[in-house]
Amino acid sequence: MKLSDVHLKVPPVLKISNARKKIKEMNEKMRTKLAVLDDDPTGCQTVYDVRILLDWEENLLNSVLKGNDVFYILTNTRAYSEKKAGEIDEEVVTRLLKYVDPSLLKVISRSDSTLRGHFGLEVKVLLDSLGPFDGVIVVPYFKEGGRFTLFDTHYVLQGEDLVEAHRTEFASDPVFSFKNSYLPAWIEEKSGGIWKEEDVISISIDDIRIGGIDRVYEVLKDVRDTKPVIVNCLDDEDLEVFILGLLKAESEGKRFLYRTAASFVKIRAGIEDRETVRSFLMKKGIIIVGSFVKKTTEQLEALLEDFPLDRVELKISKILSEERTDYLKGVVERMNEALLQDKSIVVYTERDYAIPDLGKEEQLRSGEMISLFLADIVKNLKVSPDFLIAKGGITSYIVAKEGLGVKVADVIGQIAPGVPVWKLRGGCRFPDLFYIVFPGNVGDRLTLSRIFSTLIDISKA
């Protein structure tokens, strides 16, 4: 079905005047500390002027908690096994609780808007570590990426059509595949039966647009026994109404854990919308493409067609073989040569290579080896670029943490809808570098080309 047709068939949006301001004021009144545990680096794609941690060393956590009411901790758990993901989440929460009153701490488990990730495991770990809770708020809505929830079913916008998420390529992810777009069934599937379909509570579009804040509050005040609560959303205004109702319930003592996509963070924090970051006009940069999804491949092809850039296609077989060290050395030499001449260069994994079907653990390990190779490229560079675009969630995390040695960064805004720009802080390989975290599944065919045009002086490209 077409998104335009859907908007004609549902009640009109209920707009609350100064909704974000009211949300922010309620957060301040309740002295809320909003900690976003992000399972890959792309979840900051709706916010700005927010601190991001890639390390959760205790002194660093304590310092950030003192000066920030909302911040991200990049756990990168989507890149790891369930066991390791659970260990990371438990360690982070244990350290957080040393420095913040549990009654003031609100945790958002930020994950993918296309329903991939360790849903059941991560939610259970956080419930056990932070509970008890009355419910778990589930919001995969992410407008900037074209992800919408209606009639408790989650959709991905493809062109003008809303396609059920389980009918997209994301449902065939080798590690995080799923069979259901109907979220009550998806929750049962991904929780391993911890919750049954009939356990799930729904906040409908009618609840939000007709019933408003009071209707949302009435539903939430009766939620108990850690039941999942699905929130249907087609616009940010829907989420504003829901969160105002949520805050009303929480102000009366109700406790909820949040498992959401990126849009929820922005609105739950009361952050107003802002225009995308404008032209930079830099000389030289690096584009590293690790994501294998179809959209990324189309964007890469468009970039290479539009600009006569230096390029290196990486052979996966060499990355995973004993030739790795010599192969790495040759790639780094080519990149240094280009940067010395003030040229930008694109480095990308070959598009037609299929990692053998080795099972989830082996798939994750192979993906980690590829990402670490990309990080090692950056780690061994001798010439500093003006900017670096990392394409893909896991790629951007590993390149930032292992390649650049980043512990702390600031989100300065978005360079395109859903594509955040970080300004790196001191203590890393290239301080003050502009780092663009470009999710694999965001944008249209020309988005990467447009971002490059925004960053670079075209006469130098």
Side-chain angles (χ1 to χ4, degrees):
M1 56 183 176
K2 295 190 181 301
L3 180 60
S4 56
D5 293 339
V6 168
H7 282 296
L8 295 175
K9 295 178 180 178
V10 297
V13 168
L14 176 59
K15 295 186 178 183
I16 305 297
S17 178
N18 297 315
R20 308 276 177 95
K21 181 180 179 181
K22 291 175 182 175
I23 291 167
K24 191 169 185 178
E25 288 173 347
M26 290 181 74
N27 285 335
E28 292 170 352
K29 182 178 180 180
M30 296 165 69
R31 297 166 53 218
T32 298
K33 291 289 185 180
L34 198 59
V36 186
L37 275 57
D38 202 338
D39 72 356
D40 86 351
T42 64
C44 57
Q45 59 203 140
T46 61
V47 301
Y48 54 86
D49 297 341
V50 173
R51 186 66 45 85
I52 295 182
L53 305 182
L54 282 77
D55 189 291
W56 40 94
E57 185 270 328
E58 290 192 14
N59 289 336
L60 183 58
L61 273 181
N62 188 26
S63 174
V64 169
L65 277 162
K66 287 179 178 178
N68 300 270
D69 292 331
V70 55
F71 58 94
Y72 282 74
I73 301 174
L74 299 189
T75 61
N76 201 42
T77 48
R78 207 186 308 167
Y80 303 126
S81 66
E82 279 197 342
K83 182 176 183 297
K84 186 172 181 179
E87 291 170 350
I88 290 172
D89 285 336
E90 187 172 3
E91 180 181 39
V92 170
V93 169
T94 299
R95 292 187 181 183
L96 276 171
L97 291 176
K98 290 183 179 181
Y99 300 106
V100 62
D101 185 332
S103 67
L104 306 179
L105 180 65
K106 303 295 182 184
V107 171
I108 299 175
S109 177
R110 204 297 307 183
S111 192
D112 182 47
S113 61
T114 60
L115 304 182
R116 298 170 298 170
H118 295 296
F119 172 79
L121 179 281
E122 292 200 285
V123 169
K124 185 177 186 305
V125 167
L126 294 174
L127 289 173
D128 291 344
S129 301
L130 294 163
F133 290 94
D134 294 296
V136 179
I137 305 298
V138 180
V139 190
Y141 162 82
F142 172 44
K143 184 175 182 178
E144 290 85 347
R147 330 285 197 234
F148 303 93
T149 305
L150 182 65
F151 307 129
D152 295 339
T153 298
H154 196 56
Y155 295 90
V156 175
L157 187 65
Q158 296 184 344
E160 297 181 358
D161 296 321
L162 288 174
V163 179
E164 293 167 295
H166 77 278
R167 300 183 186 277
T168 68
E169 63 174 313
F170 308 113
S172 301
D173 186 286
V175 179
F176 300 112
S177 62
F178 56 92
K179 299 177 181 178
N180 296 286
S181 299
Y182 180 61
L183 291 180
W186 177 82
I187 288 172
E188 179 173 342
E189 175 190 352
K190 302 308 290 185
S191 72
I194 293 174
W195 292 293
K196 301 298 183 184
E197 187 175 325
E198 57 268 23
D199 294 329
V200 179
I201 296 167
S202 172
I203 304 285
S204 71
I205 286 291
D206 284 0
D207 287 332
I208 291 170
R209 296 189 174 187
I210 298 176
I213 296 169
D214 289 341
R215 173 57 184 162
V216 171
Y217 162 75
E218 288 296 327
V219 175
L220 293 179
K221 75 180 180 62
D222 292 332
V223 176
R224 55 182 55 86
D225 300 327
T226 325
K227 294 288 179 65
V229 180
I230 294 167
V231 183
N232 287 269
C233 287
L234 291 173
D235 284 288
D236 284 357
E237 288 89 350
D238 298 327
L239 208 44
E240 290 172 351
V241 172
F242 170 77
I243 288 173
L244 285 166
L246 170 69
L247 290 174
K248 184 177 179 180
E250 289 184 334
S251 70
E252 296 182 1
K254 301 297 287 186
R255 293 198 74 222
F256 297 96
L257 178 68
Y258 313 136
R259 176 74 173 191
T260 80
S263 293
F264 183 89
V265 180
K266 170 182 67 177
I267 298 173
R268 179 62 182 80
I271 297 173
E272 301 285 355
D273 292 332
R274 191 162 78 179
E275 289 186 355
T276 55
V277 179
R278 296 299 184 182
S279 177
F280 290 84
L281 298 180
M282 298 177 180
K283 289 184 178 180
K284 58 183 182 294
I286 299 170
I287 302 100
I288 295 180
V289 181
S291 168
F292 284 98
V293 301
K294 181 181 178 183
K295 182 168 287 188
T296 289
T297 299
E298 292 173 347
Q299 291 167 343
L300 173 63
E301 290 171 348
L303 177 73
L304 296 177
E305 289 171 6
D306 292 344
F307 299 98
L309 295 169
D310 282 28
R311 61 195 71 183
V312 178
E313 181 183 52
L314 299 176
K315 301 300 181 183
I316 303 298
S317 59
K318 291 187 177 182
I319 293 174
L320 302 178
S321 75
E322 295 180 356
E323 299 179 52
R324 181 186 191 281
T325 301
D326 289 340
Y327 188 49
L328 174 68
K329 183 179 178 181
V331 171
V332 171
E333 286 177 355
R334 285 189 60 185
M335 294 180 68
N336 279 326
E337 289 172 5
L339 293 171
L340 278 170
Q341 299 174 48
D342 282 346
K343 293 181 179 179
S344 294
I345 186 166
V346 186
V347 180
Y348 57 97
T349 49
E350 57 184 315
R351 302 287 92 188
D352 57 356
Y353 181 85
I355 296 174
D357 186 8
L358 301 172
K360 288 185 178 181
E361 296 292 329
E362 292 80 5
Q363 290 275 4
L364 282 168
R365 178 57 187 157
S366 295
E368 185 177 7
M369 289 178 66
I370 295 167
S371 295
L372 284 171
F373 185 89
L374 298 175
D376 284 343
I377 290 173
V378 176
K379 185 187 294 185
N380 286 279
L381 283 176
K382 303 298 183 185
V383 185
S384 174
D386 297 324
F387 67 87
L388 195 161
I389 301 173
K391 191 78 168 73
I394 294 172
T395 297
S396 55
Y397 177 87
I398 297 296
V399 167
K401 185 167 186 178
E402 303 298 336
L404 293 166
V406 178
K407 288 190 175 183
V408 186
D410 294 314
V411 183
I412 63 173
Q414 282 71 53
I415 196 166
V419 184
V421 183
W422 300 0
K423 184 72 176 293
L424 303 190
R425 298 172 67 85
C428 66
R429 182 158 177 74
F430 299 127
D432 297 324
L433 178 76
F434 287 94
Y435 189 66
I436 293 86
V437 177
F438 195 158
N441 56 13
V442 166
D444 59 31
R445 186 175 183 273
L446 297 178
T447 302
L448 181 56
S449 294
R450 286 195 293 266
I451 288 174
F452 181 74
S453 297
T454 299
L455 288 163
I456 203 74
D457 180 346
I458 299 298
S459 66
K460 304 285 186 181

